Amino acid sequence: MTDTLQLIASNLPFILKGSLVTLRLVFSALGLGFILGLFLAVGQVYAPKPFPRIISLYVWFFRGIPNLVLLFLFYFGLFPLLGLDFTPLMIAIIAFGLRSSAYQSQIFRGCIRSLGSGQMMAARSLGMTNIQAIKSIILPQALRIAIPGWSNEYPILLTDSAVSYAIGVMEILTRGSLTVSRTYQPMPIYLTCAVIFILLNYGGMKILHHVENRVRIPGFGNTEM
Amino acid sequence: MDLVFITDVVLPPLMAGLVVTLKLIACSVPFGLIAGILIATGRVYGNPLVSFACSAYVVIFKGTPLLMLLFLIYFGLPSVGITLEPFTAAVIGFIVCNGAYNSEYIRGAIQSVKSGQMVAALALGMTRREAILNVVLPQALRRAIPGISNEIIYLIKYSSLAYMLTCIELTGAGKIVASRYFRFTLVFLIVGIIYLILITIAGKILSLIEKKLEVPGLIR
Amino acid sequence: MDNREIILTVDDIHKKYGNTEVLRGISFEVRKGDTKVFIGSSGTGKSTLLRCINQLTIPDSGKIWLHDEEVTHSQKSINYFRQKIGMVFQNFNLFDHLSAVRNVEIALIKVRKMPKKEAREKAMEELRRVGLEPQANLYPAELSGGQAQRVSIARALAMEPDIMLFDEPTSALDPELTGEVLAVMKDLSKNGMTMLVVTHEMGFACSVANEIIFMEQGKILESGPPEQLVRNPRYDRTKQFLFKLGELYGDIGRSQ
């Protein structure tokens, strides 16, 4: 037993470094997904004719394709094809970010629509342009409704991040596997990885709930999706 | 883009891989559903110990990556004497993970069934077990269909991870073909499209099932 | 001397919810064919009392006997007793996922272990009795309130109980629909069913009950045959309550 504990202790720093990579991956993807998702959502609701359709197609593609296939497509196929020499981590961030944007855009779209054309009409009647109305009236409200959706995206991105093992990103699982191939002790090492993931999950959710509570508007959020 | 290349060289191995994918799904979906029902019922109706164990199960298997679970099963278990084939290890991992996610939907659905239903069943002389089986679950499962359908779609996508255990399903077959002919973009685009078609069909089938099981007035 | 068989004996039932004592020593006897109506303001424990009888609520103290078997403290064999005690709820509590006839037959199949064909026949017969044979295949959501409640009565009757408990059966119904349910209950009573009914329907009580029991603050304040209780209540409180009821529901001296 003490051997196992020693084993874990000596390899923990190496594996834990992976959590920095994991978090970087998760939050970058979340952020990319957020900005792009917002943009796509606004486009889907307010843009002129061909764009909503194109965006729907984009959403369908990126929600339906398995993570692993997307990573392979980018890492082995698309990026080399385009001559882009990005690190595995960068490629993973872009892949997961695009995927998250597809999901988040749908959450935002639902919110923007449910806010009702009434808000838009009121803003326009006061003399605001479309863009001003969207920026100052629609978006701030939509965001507050959408933040709970992140409580969903975060754990998903966290657990999906492990798939980037397949293209060599040095996150938690990859480092764990390397340790295993060195020490031939899969059970303790993978269990340690599991604990790290659970803690990151728990910690991240706590932070998100905190943020949620901070930005809450009283009486709002019952326009639930 | 060489059409003959696609049809004669790429598609056949992909189709073989697709068969394995379908087998993986066929084995995992029913048991994942059963696992979900058992965990959810244990959590809602079980004694404190059982309920806690079920909650712990959900926290653990929703909070850890599926890939890690697969590695644990395939690479870890041999050290305690259980050696499994890639396919079996993958299926077990899928069932355990899918069960955790399913149980959350089912639990929510069970809790949304009016308490009067249980009371009426007990008043008629049913045991709790009979009441759960005949009155609560039939309603809860219908309400959980959208969530369960969602999870089945996820399962179809995550089946690709079986390749990481050297199980040659669709994604694995794609990687092999792509590597041999250096046509990565093309092959993986095709693989992606096949998955998209799969989940579209699955979605339609699940919609039909939902319609068939519909009972007037059982609003979600 | 009343020679009729004693079906139910309730002895000194007490029940507390938190700090509120809802039942403070309720005792009475029910003989075969009795129809007893419980009246009183809300929160006086009438529904709780009914639920104690079939142990859906466990009383803090006191005993209940069905015939001469003790119902309280019966734990494992409570289902045996529940088959003999029928209950009709204010909110019907029909099984939403089953059609009317399936609602009636399910307990026969699962609890009585009747073969399906026999259960179906019995279920249809009970539905016929309450006048709902044409609606057999409709689902609860497709039935009117009065129809739903009649199905739930049929469901309870199918088990051939020794006694039927009605917990404010018409309170959740639109006024036009209460008539059809009360008619079924009247029929039942006339045909000799032993019934305990919690209700505000004084018209029903006066025309059908052989005893009205007025409960106040967890105790039985007064009880007696309708003519006596309504015309000549002994306590002021009873008088007050009946007067209030009369204001809400119209002249109660007249039977429906």
PDB file of all heavy atoms in Angstrom, chain A residues 176-198:
ATOM      1  N   GLY A 176      -0.854  10.731 -17.611  1.00  0.00           N
ATOM      2  CA  GLY A 176      -1.127   9.521 -16.844  1.00  0.00           C
ATOM      3  C   GLY A 176      -0.704   8.295 -17.620  1.00  0.00           C
ATOM      4  O   GLY A 176      -0.041   7.386 -17.092  1.00  0.00           O
ATOM      5  N   SER A 177      -1.090   8.264 -18.892  1.00  0.00           N
ATOM      6  CA  SER A 177      -0.742   7.102 -19.717  1.00  0.00           C
ATOM      7  C   SER A 177       0.754   6.937 -19.851  1.00  0.00           C
ATOM      8  O   SER A 177       1.283   5.819 -19.817  1.00  0.00           O
ATOM      9  CB  SER A 177      -1.357   7.239 -21.108  1.00  0.00           C
ATOM     10  OG  SER A 177      -2.746   7.085 -21.038  1.00  0.00           O
ATOM     11  N   LEU A 178       1.455   8.057 -20.012  1.00  0.00           N
ATOM     12  CA  LEU A 178       2.913   7.976 -20.106  1.00  0.00           C
ATOM     13  C   LEU A 178       3.492   7.393 -18.822  1.00  0.00           C
ATOM     14  O   LEU A 178       4.383   6.547 -18.847  1.00  0.00           O
ATOM     15  CB  LEU A 178       3.504   9.362 -20.373  1.00  0.00           C
ATOM     16  CG  LEU A 178       3.291   9.893 -21.789  1.00  0.00           C
ATOM     17  CD1 LEU A 178       3.766  11.329 -21.909  1.00  0.00           C
ATOM     18  CD2 LEU A 178       4.037   9.017 -22.793  1.00  0.00           C
ATOM     19  N   THR A 179       2.950   7.848 -17.710  1.00  0.00           N
ATOM     20  CA  THR A 179       3.407   7.325 -16.423  1.00  0.00           C
ATOM     21  C   THR A 179       3.157   5.818 -16.324  1.00  0.00           C
ATOM     22  O   THR A 179       3.997   5.061 -15.848  1.00  0.00           O
ATOM     23  CB  THR A 179       2.685   8.035 -15.265  1.00  0.00           C
ATOM     24  OG1 THR A 179       2.710   9.434 -15.497  1.00  0.00           O
ATOM     25  CG2 THR A 179       3.357   7.723 -13.944  1.00  0.00           C
ATOM     26  N   VAL A 180       2.003   5.413 -16.799  1.00  0.00           N
ATOM     27  CA  VAL A 180       1.650   3.995 -16.735  1.00  0.00           C
ATOM     28  C   VAL A 180       2.607   3.163 -17.574  1.00  0.00           C
ATOM     29  O   VAL A 180       3.070   2.097 -17.163  1.00  0.00           O
ATOM     30  CB  VAL A 180       0.194   3.765 -17.216  1.00  0.00           C
ATOM     31  CG1 VAL A 180      -0.066   2.286 -17.431  1.00  0.00           C
ATOM     32  CG2 VAL A 180      -0.781   4.314 -16.199  1.00  0.00           C
ATOM     33  N   SER A 181       2.926   3.680 -18.751  1.00  0.00           N
ATOM     34  CA  SER A 181       3.808   2.884 -19.606  1.00  0.00           C
ATOM     35  C   SER A 181       5.210   2.825 -19.028  1.00  0.00           C
ATOM     36  O   SER A 181       5.989   1.942 -19.352  1.00  0.00           O
ATOM     37  CB  SER A 181       3.823   3.439 -21.028  1.00  0.00           C
ATOM     38  OG  SER A 181       4.211   4.789 -21.014  1.00  0.00           O
ATOM     39  N   ARG A 182       5.498   3.772 -18.145  1.00  0.00           N
ATOM     40  CA  ARG A 182       6.804   3.741 -17.495  1.00  0.00           C
ATOM     41  C   ARG A 182       6.807   2.845 -16.259  1.00  0.00           C
ATOM     42  O   ARG A 182       7.755   2.139 -15.977  1.00  0.00           O
ATOM     43  CB  ARG A 182       7.211   5.164 -17.080  1.00  0.00           C
ATOM     44  CG  ARG A 182       8.640   5.481 -17.399  1.00  0.00           C
ATOM     45  CD  ARG A 182       9.057   6.892 -17.064  1.00  0.00           C
ATOM     46  NE  ARG A 182       8.092   7.758 -16.475  1.00  0.00           N
ATOM     47  CZ  ARG A 182       7.997   7.984 -15.148  1.00  0.00           C
ATOM     48  NH1 ARG A 182       8.809   7.381 -14.322  1.00  0.00           N
ATOM     49  NH2 ARG A 182       7.092   8.821 -14.690  1.00  0.00           N
ATOM     50  N   THR A 183       5.720   2.896 -15.505  1.00  0.00           N
ATOM     51  CA  THR A 183       5.703   2.219 -14.202  1.00  0.00           C
ATOM     52  C   THR A 183       4.915   0.909 -14.183  1.00  0.00           C
ATOM     53  O   THR A 183       4.997   0.152 -13.228  1.00  0.00           O
ATOM     54  CB  THR A 183       5.068   3.132 -13.144  1.00  0.00           C
ATOM     55  OG1 THR A 183       3.712   3.376 -13.535  1.00  0.00           O
ATOM     56  CG2 THR A 183       5.809   4.435 -13.032  1.00  0.00           C
ATOM     57  N   TYR A 184       4.163   0.653 -15.244  1.00  0.00           N
ATOM     58  CA  TYR A 184       3.353  -0.568 -15.317  1.00  0.00           C
ATOM     59  C   TYR A 184       2.366  -0.692 -14.161  1.00  0.00           C
ATOM     60  O   TYR A 184       2.057  -1.775 -13.708  1.00  0.00           O
ATOM     61  CB  TYR A 184       4.236  -1.829 -15.349  1.00  0.00           C
ATOM     62  CG  TYR A 184       5.066  -1.881 -16.596  1.00  0.00           C
ATOM     63  CD1 TYR A 184       6.381  -1.442 -16.593  1.00  0.00           C
ATOM     64  CD2 TYR A 184       4.520  -2.334 -17.800  1.00  0.00           C
ATOM     65  CE1 TYR A 184       7.130  -1.459 -17.748  1.00  0.00           C
ATOM     66  CE2 TYR A 184       5.269  -2.343 -18.950  1.00  0.00           C
ATOM     67  CZ  TYR A 184       6.576  -1.909 -18.923  1.00  0.00           C
ATOM     68  OH  TYR A 184       7.326  -1.936 -20.056  1.00  0.00           O
ATOM     69  N   GLN A 185       1.868   0.430 -13.667  1.00  0.00           N
ATOM     70  CA  GLN A 185       0.886   0.400 -12.580  1.00  0.00           C
ATOM     71  C   GLN A 185      -0.364   1.161 -12.996  1.00  0.00           C
ATOM     72  O   GLN A 185      -0.600   2.264 -12.537  1.00  0.00           O
ATOM     73  CB  GLN A 185       1.477   1.077 -11.328  1.00  0.00           C
ATOM     74  CG  GLN A 185       2.692   0.403 -10.795  1.00  0.00           C
ATOM     75  CD  GLN A 185       2.286  -0.731  -9.869  1.00  0.00           C
ATOM     76  OE1 GLN A 185       1.111  -1.002  -9.668  1.00  0.00           O
ATOM     77  NE2 GLN A 185       3.287  -1.402  -9.319  1.00  0.00           N
ATOM     78  N   PRO A 186      -1.160   0.565 -13.898  1.00  0.00           N
ATOM     79  CA  PRO A 186      -2.296   1.323 -14.441  1.00  0.00           C
ATOM     80  C   PRO A 186      -3.339   1.724 -13.402  1.00  0.00           C
ATOM     81  O   PRO A 186      -3.790   2.862 -13.397  1.00  0.00           O
ATOM     82  CB  PRO A 186      -2.905   0.376 -15.483  1.00  0.00           C
ATOM     83  CG  PRO A 186      -2.352  -0.968 -15.174  1.00  0.00           C
ATOM     84  CD  PRO A 186      -1.054  -0.777 -14.507  1.00  0.00           C
ATOM     85  N   MET A 187      -3.700   0.800 -12.517  1.00  0.00           N
ATOM     86  CA  MET A 187      -4.812   1.105 -11.591  1.00  0.00           C
ATOM     87  C   MET A 187      -4.577   2.347 -10.747  1.00  0.00           C
ATOM     88  O   MET A 187      -5.370   3.287 -10.795  1.00  0.00           O
ATOM     89  CB  MET A 187      -5.107  -0.104 -10.678  1.00  0.00           C
ATOM     90  CG  MET A 187      -5.895  -1.198 -11.352  1.00  0.00           C
ATOM     91  SD  MET A 187      -7.520  -0.641 -11.884  1.00  0.00           S
ATOM     92  CE  MET A 187      -8.557  -1.401 -10.675  1.00  0.00           C
ATOM     93  N   PRO A 188      -3.513   2.383  -9.947  1.00  0.00           N
ATOM     94  CA  PRO A 188      -3.343   3.567  -9.103  1.00  0.00           C
ATOM     95  C   PRO A 188      -3.218   4.859  -9.901  1.00  0.00           C
ATOM     96  O   PRO A 188      -3.778   5.884  -9.520  1.00  0.00           O
ATOM     97  CB  PRO A 188      -2.061   3.289  -8.310  1.00  0.00           C
ATOM     98  CG  PRO A 188      -1.546   1.992  -8.764  1.00  0.00           C
ATOM     99  CD  PRO A 188      -2.441   1.398  -9.747  1.00  0.00           C
ATOM    100  N   ILE A 189      -2.514   4.789 -11.014  1.00  0.00           N
ATOM    101  CA  ILE A 189      -2.290   6.013 -11.783  1.00  0.00           C
ATOM    102  C   ILE A 189      -3.605   6.527 -12.378  1.00  0.00           C
ATOM    103  O   ILE A 189      -3.940   7.702 -12.252  1.00  0.00           O
ATOM    104  CB  ILE A 189      -1.261   5.774 -12.911  1.00  0.00           C
ATOM    105  CG1 ILE A 189       0.073   5.334 -12.321  1.00  0.00           C
ATOM    106  CG2 ILE A 189      -1.087   7.025 -13.743  1.00  0.00           C
ATOM    107  CD1 ILE A 189       0.716   6.369 -11.419  1.00  0.00           C
ATOM    108  N   TYR A 190      -4.353   5.642 -13.034  1.00  0.00           N
ATOM    109  CA  TYR A 190      -5.604   6.093 -13.642  1.00  0.00           C
ATOM    110  C   TYR A 190      -6.599   6.524 -12.583  1.00  0.00           C
ATOM    111  O   TYR A 190      -7.381   7.455 -12.777  1.00  0.00           O
ATOM    112  CB  TYR A 190      -6.206   5.008 -14.538  1.00  0.00           C
ATOM    113  CG  TYR A 190      -5.477   4.868 -15.851  1.00  0.00           C
ATOM    114  CD1 TYR A 190      -5.120   3.617 -16.350  1.00  0.00           C
ATOM    115  CD2 TYR A 190      -5.134   5.983 -16.599  1.00  0.00           C
ATOM    116  CE1 TYR A 190      -4.440   3.484 -17.549  1.00  0.00           C
ATOM    117  CE2 TYR A 190      -4.451   5.863 -17.794  1.00  0.00           C
ATOM    118  CZ  TYR A 190      -4.105   4.610 -18.267  1.00  0.00           C
ATOM    119  OH  TYR A 190      -3.424   4.491 -19.447  1.00  0.00           O
ATOM    120  N   LEU A 191      -6.585   5.855 -11.422  1.00  0.00           N
ATOM    121  CA  LEU A 191      -7.480   6.279 -10.346  1.00  0.00           C
ATOM    122  C   LEU A 191      -7.100   7.675  -9.871  1.00  0.00           C
ATOM    123  O   LEU A 191      -7.950   8.505  -9.574  1.00  0.00           O
ATOM    124  CB  LEU A 191      -7.439   5.281  -9.185  1.00  0.00           C
ATOM    125  CG  LEU A 191      -8.223   3.996  -9.451  1.00  0.00           C
ATOM    126  CD1 LEU A 191      -8.018   2.999  -8.323  1.00  0.00           C
ATOM    127  CD2 LEU A 191      -9.701   4.298  -9.620  1.00  0.00           C
ATOM    128  N   THR A 192      -5.795   7.928  -9.797  1.00  0.00           N
ATOM    129  CA  THR A 192      -5.351   9.276  -9.429  1.00  0.00           C
ATOM    130  C   THR A 192      -5.862  10.294 -10.430  1.00  0.00           C
ATOM    131  O   THR A 192      -6.366  11.357 -10.065  1.00  0.00           O
ATOM    132  CB  THR A 192      -3.811   9.347  -9.385  1.00  0.00           C
ATOM    133  OG1 THR A 192      -3.324   8.267  -8.620  1.00  0.00           O
ATOM    134  CG2 THR A 192      -3.354  10.668  -8.804  1.00  0.00           C
ATOM    135  N   CYS A 193      -5.742   9.962 -11.718  1.00  0.00           N
ATOM    136  CA  CYS A 193      -6.261  10.867 -12.746  1.00  0.00           C
ATOM    137  C   CYS A 193      -7.739  11.112 -12.514  1.00  0.00           C
ATOM    138  O   CYS A 193      -8.222  12.245 -12.637  1.00  0.00           O
ATOM    139  CB  CYS A 193      -6.064  10.269 -14.149  1.00  0.00           C
ATOM    140  SG  CYS A 193      -4.355  10.143 -14.650  1.00  0.00           S
ATOM    141  N   ALA A 194      -8.472  10.038 -12.187  1.00  0.00           N
ATOM    142  CA  ALA A 194      -9.914  10.181 -11.972  1.00  0.00           C
ATOM    143  C   ALA A 194     -10.195  11.183 -10.874  1.00  0.00           C
ATOM    144  O   ALA A 194     -11.045  12.060 -11.007  1.00  0.00           O
ATOM    145  CB  ALA A 194     -10.526   8.823 -11.628  1.00  0.00           C
ATOM    146  N   VAL A 195      -9.451  11.049  -9.773  1.00  0.00           N
ATOM    147  CA  VAL A 195      -9.663  11.965  -8.656  1.00  0.00           C
ATOM    148  C   VAL A 195      -9.383  13.406  -9.073  1.00  0.00           C
ATOM    149  O   VAL A 195     -10.134  14.330  -8.739  1.00  0.00           O
ATOM    150  CB  VAL A 195      -8.752  11.568  -7.461  1.00  0.00           C
ATOM    151  CG1 VAL A 195      -8.801  12.630  -6.394  1.00  0.00           C
ATOM    152  CG2 VAL A 195      -9.188  10.229  -6.903  1.00  0.00           C
ATOM    153  N   ILE A 196      -8.315  13.593  -9.843  1.00  0.00           N
ATOM    154  CA  ILE A 196      -7.991  14.948 -10.298  1.00  0.00           C
ATOM    155  C   ILE A 196      -9.146  15.515 -11.119  1.00  0.00           C
ATOM    156  O   ILE A 196      -9.565  16.660 -10.942  1.00  0.00           O
ATOM    157  CB  ILE A 196      -6.691  14.955 -11.131  1.00  0.00           C
ATOM    158  CG1 ILE A 196      -5.519  14.487 -10.284  1.00  0.00           C
ATOM    159  CG2 ILE A 196      -6.419  16.366 -11.661  1.00  0.00           C
ATOM    160  CD1 ILE A 196      -4.213  14.399 -11.048  1.00  0.00           C
ATOM    161  N   PHE A 197      -9.664  14.710 -12.028  1.00  0.00           N
ATOM    162  CA  PHE A 197     -10.786  15.194 -12.859  1.00  0.00           C
ATOM    163  C   PHE A 197     -11.993  15.542 -12.012  1.00  0.00           C
ATOM    164  O   PHE A 197     -12.638  16.567 -12.212  1.00  0.00           O
ATOM    165  CB  PHE A 197     -11.178  14.129 -13.897  1.00  0.00           C
ATOM    166  CG  PHE A 197     -10.384  14.196 -15.162  1.00  0.00           C
ATOM    167  CD1 PHE A 197      -9.486  13.189 -15.476  1.00  0.00           C
ATOM    168  CD2 PHE A 197     -10.513  15.266 -16.028  1.00  0.00           C
ATOM    169  CE1 PHE A 197      -8.737  13.255 -16.637  1.00  0.00           C
ATOM    170  CE2 PHE A 197      -9.778  15.343 -17.193  1.00  0.00           C
ATOM    171  CZ  PHE A 197      -8.873  14.334 -17.502  1.00  0.00           C
ATOM    172  N   ILE A 198     -12.311  14.664 -11.039  1.00  0.00           N
ATOM    173  CA  ILE A 198     -13.479  14.927 -10.209  1.00  0.00           C
ATOM    174  C   ILE A 198     -13.305  16.232  -9.437  1.00  0.00           C
ATOM    175  O   ILE A 198     -14.230  17.040  -9.321  1.00  0.00           O
ATOM    176  CB  ILE A 198     -13.746  13.753  -9.243  1.00  0.00           C
ATOM    177  CG1 ILE A 198     -14.130  12.517 -10.040  1.00  0.00           C
ATOM    178  CG2 ILE A 198     -14.835  14.090  -8.248  1.00  0.00           C
ATOM    179  CD1 ILE A 198     -14.397  11.298  -9.205  1.00  0.00           C
TER     180      ILE A 198
END
